[in-house]
Amino acid sequence: AGTSRGRGVALLQLGLAKEAVEDFSDAISLAPKDGTLRIQRGEAHLAARAWKLAEADFDSAITLGAGGPTTLLGRGTARLRQGKAASALEDAEEAAKLKGMPPLQLVSLARLFAQIAAHPEAAEQSRRCRDQGAALIARALEATPAEQRPAFW
């Protein structure tokens, strides 16, 4: 599974999402209980704009015990791209409660909140989403050492 995983990671970094999905699928066939592989294939599906397949992989990762901010962010993104703003908001809010996210992930989660806020289905929660996004940006700023902030922003 390790060789296929490594190849999948490299292909995804090269922007070859569909090819990465194939390698992650090969790895999953060898290690079907590895939730991290489901996350990686879910991210490849996101890059390939295969929203339903991405959501299914993130669901599987959670079932296999590999939940966490990356999984929730990925599933929330997949759900939003399918027009499921309410479900995306649930994932984003659950992820926002988690501690220890690195600054870039906090910013990604803030971006998801902003995208949810702009979705017509989430009109009633728009202000709450914008506030949550701003709070996440503040958390990212606090987590970034002062001398690294100019390069980060």
Side-chain angles (χ1 to χ4, degrees), residues 51-66:
W51 314 129
K52 287 181 184 180
L53 294 172
E55 181 181 9
D57 271 339
F58 292 121
D59 282 340
S60 293
I62 291 168
T63 300
L64 292 169

Side-chain angles (χ1 to χ4, degrees), residues 12-75:
L12 191 56
Q13 289 175 343
L14 291 170
L16 301 170
K18 291 179 182 179
E19 293 83 350
V21 166
E22 292 174 19
D23 280 309
F24 289 131
S25 294
D26 289 345
I28 288 169
S29 71
L30 298 171
K33 301 227 184 265
D34 186 337
T36 302
L37 284 170
R38 304 294 174 135
I39 295 168
Q40 290 173 311
R41 188 173 70 179
E43 290 174 336
H45 281 308
L46 285 178
R49 305 175 71 86
W51 314 129
K52 287 181 184 180
L53 294 172
E55 181 181 9
D57 271 339
F58 292 121
D59 282 340
S60 293
I62 291 168
T63 300
L64 292 169
T70 301
T71 310
L72 293 167
L73 180 60
R75 187 174 71 175

Side-chain angles (χ1 to χ4, degrees), residues 115-153:
Q115 291 168 345
I116 294 167
H119 194 280
E121 182 185 314
E124 292 181 18
Q125 292 86 15
S126 181
R127 181 155 185 83
R128 187 173 91 222
C129 289
R130 288 193 313 270
D131 290 347
Q132 186 69 274
L136 288 164
I137 296 294
R139 277 175 56 189
L141 182 61
E142 291 168 9
T144 304
E147 64 276 2
Q148 294 177 7
R149 289 178 187 163
F152 182 81
W153 302 107

